[in-house]
Amino acid sequence: MASYYNENTIVYHNGKYVKATEAKVDLYGQTMHYGLGVFEGIRSYKTVDGHTRIFKAVEHYDRLKNSAEAMNMPYDWHAVDLIDATYEVLRQNNLQDAYIRPLVYGPANMSFNLNTESNIVIEVWEMGKFLGDKLLRVLSSPFQRPNPAGFKIEAKACGHYVNSILASQDAKAKGYDEALLTDMNGFIAEGPGANMFFEKDGVLYTPSLGNILPGITRATVIELCAELNINVAEGQFTIEQLKQADAAFFCGTAAEVIGWESLDETKFPLDWNKSLGRVLQQAYKDRVTEQPLAPERLNGANKGLKSKEAIAERS
Ligand code: PMP
């Protein structure tokens, strides 16, 4: 198991900076027993000029609040204060390149009734790469994402991750690196902890919002595509369509942008280094470290870039 903390680690817990080893949590809590809690996964990076920057901090803390409200959990915090607290926890732990995990959890309550208060903890640990640099062998999972008629799928809620864990462990047990889940209608949805895009004939495609977590990295990739003149289409796509793609990648706060080698036993034919995914992987790294966007930095792959006009002419 990874080591997330040691005897010196500081967490922010309900307004106080305390040692991780001394913070206490109630064993009779609704969150631990029933999974009704919400959290975020955020990254901080050392920027090119040496500062520590939390990437899209406001978007993440806004989503935390929306997730809590979707779960009927009291939420009395303001994003600005939590962002200040997060920078302070990073400073106290002497971290720049870090993963940040805020968790909002309920008090002791074994019933299903509403709570009148919530707790918050912000944990940070050093972060390298999540899924690694190599291309992933992905399995189309027998598990589907939770049906939005039964869950508030747009919320980043603790209990939803039982589904993610089942799918990810199943893929790994079968010798793959990661799972790809479909939605309840069989359309491709997302990975256990990341959204996905695929490339076909110079255009990127990604599942529409509705049955997936609305990823902040997904939104960043779409923003970068607009800046780089890459066409993106959102829609409903089948596994069979995906297997005809030229290339594919996952994107998420922890995964960043990571390419796929294959889906099931179907290899993607386009060399990753010549794919739009590779261009976006570099553009994303530049964005999080505040390196200004310079298309000439985006390796040889940008030669393959097709402008919106060129695509429009062809279609
Ligand atoms: N889908 C799921 C199920 C996730 O857990 C994550 C990670 N938060 C994502 C997508 C990607 O979201 P983000 O880009 O906001 O990290």
Side-chain angles (χ1 to χ4, degrees):
M1 281 288 147
S3 156
Y4 298 100
Y5 67 98
N6 60 34
E7 63 283 0
N8 299 318
T9 303
I10 300 294
V11 298
Y12 174 83
H13 192 202
N14 291 332
K16 296 198 180 82
Y17 299 91
V18 295
K19 283 195 165 186
T21 50
E22 288 167 14
K24 288 208 173 80
V25 26
D26 201 305
L27 291 178
Y28 297 76
Q30 228 182 17
T31 307
M32 191 183 297
H33 289 257
Y34 307 128
L36 189 86
V38 296
F39 68 98
E40 266 306 318
I42 316 178
R43 279 289 324 253
S44 65
Y45 291 91
K46 183 179 176 180
T47 63
V48 285
D49 61 5
H51 294 107
T52 306
R53 281 283 181 279
I54 302 171
F55 187 62
K56 301 241 167 167
V58 172
E59 287 83 346
H60 281 283
Y61 279 109
D62 282 352
R63 188 170 66 185
L64 185 68
K65 181 171 198 274
N66 292 339
S67 295
E69 285 172 354
M71 295 293 130
N72 307 322
M73 298 180 78
Y75 190 97
D76 296 328
W77 300 283
H78 295 286
V80 277
D81 301 328
L82 294 177
I83 293 168
D84 282 352
T86 307
Y87 276 110
E88 180 58 18
V89 185
L90 288 169
R91 198 190 61 76
Q92 292 200 21
N93 289 287
N94 205 14
L95 287 174
Q96 290 199 288
D97 285 300
Y99 185 78
I100 299 158
R101 169 52 59 82
L103 168 70
V104 174
Y105 65 94
N109 178 3
M110 291 293 95
S111 80
F112 296 162
N113 296 336
L114 285 175
N115 291 312
T116 53
E117 64 196 70
S118 299
N119 301 285
I120 189 164
V121 63
I122 302 173
E123 300 160 359
V124 298
W125 58 88
E126 196 162 17
M127 185 72 171
K129 284 247 169 46
F130 181 50
L131 291 162
D133 249 343
K134 73 179 183 78
L135 297 180
L136 301 179
R137 296 178 58 250
V138 178
L139 175 72
S140 56
S141 182
F143 291 93
Q144 296 183 334
R145 289 297 284 158
N147 186 329
F151 290 87
K152 293 186 178 169
I153 197 73
E154 74 286 0
K156 198 164 166 62
C158 298
H160 296 173
Y161 283 81
V162 174
N163 171 253
S164 296
I165 290 171
L166 289 172
S168 190
Q169 290 184 351
D170 171 73
K172 285 166 189 161
K174 291 172 177 162
Y176 292 84
D177 298 310
E178 197 47 283
L180 171 72
L181 295 90
T182 51
D183 66 19
M184 70 289 181
N185 299 316
F187 293 110
I188 57 176
E190 59 188 330
N195 295 115
M196 68 83 61
F197 287 77
F198 65 91
E199 175 178 348
K200 179 72 180 172
D201 295 335
V203 179
L204 282 182
Y205 297 89
T206 194
S208 306
L209 297 182
N211 299 333
I212 58 173
L213 186 81
I216 291 164
T217 318
R218 178 185 179 280
T220 306
V221 166
I222 292 172
E223 266 166 45
L224 289 169
C225 284
E227 292 173 43
L228 290 165
N229 254 347
I230 298 171
N231 261 9
V232 187
E234 297 174 70
Q236 292 184 315
F237 308 105
T238 62
I239 294 283
E240 290 64 40
Q241 279 174 299
L242 177 54
K243 285 186 178 166
Q244 302 296 316
D246 300 326
F249 61 88
F250 277 132
C251 69
T253 298
E256 300 174 326
V257 172
I258 182 153
W260 295 11
E261 176 184 297
S262 57
L263 177 65
D264 303 340
E265 289 314 317
T266 306
K267 284 207 175 184
F268 292 98
L270 186 59
D271 176 357
W272 171 249
N273 285 313
K274 298 200 171 87
S275 70
L276 295 172
R278 177 69 188 99
V279 174
L280 289 158
Q281 186 178 49
Q282 185 62 47
Y284 186 76
K285 277 194 185 136
D286 287 349
R287 183 57 43 97
V288 297
T289 56
E290 300 188 348
Q291 171 86 47
L293 188 67
E296 64 276 11
R297 276 180 48 74
L298 303 176
N299 83 13
N302 67 335
K303 294 197 193 86
L305 271 188
K306 306 204 174 40
S307 71
K308 282 183 183 155
E309 294 71 28
I311 288 163
E313 263 172 33
R314 275 192 327 176
S315 50

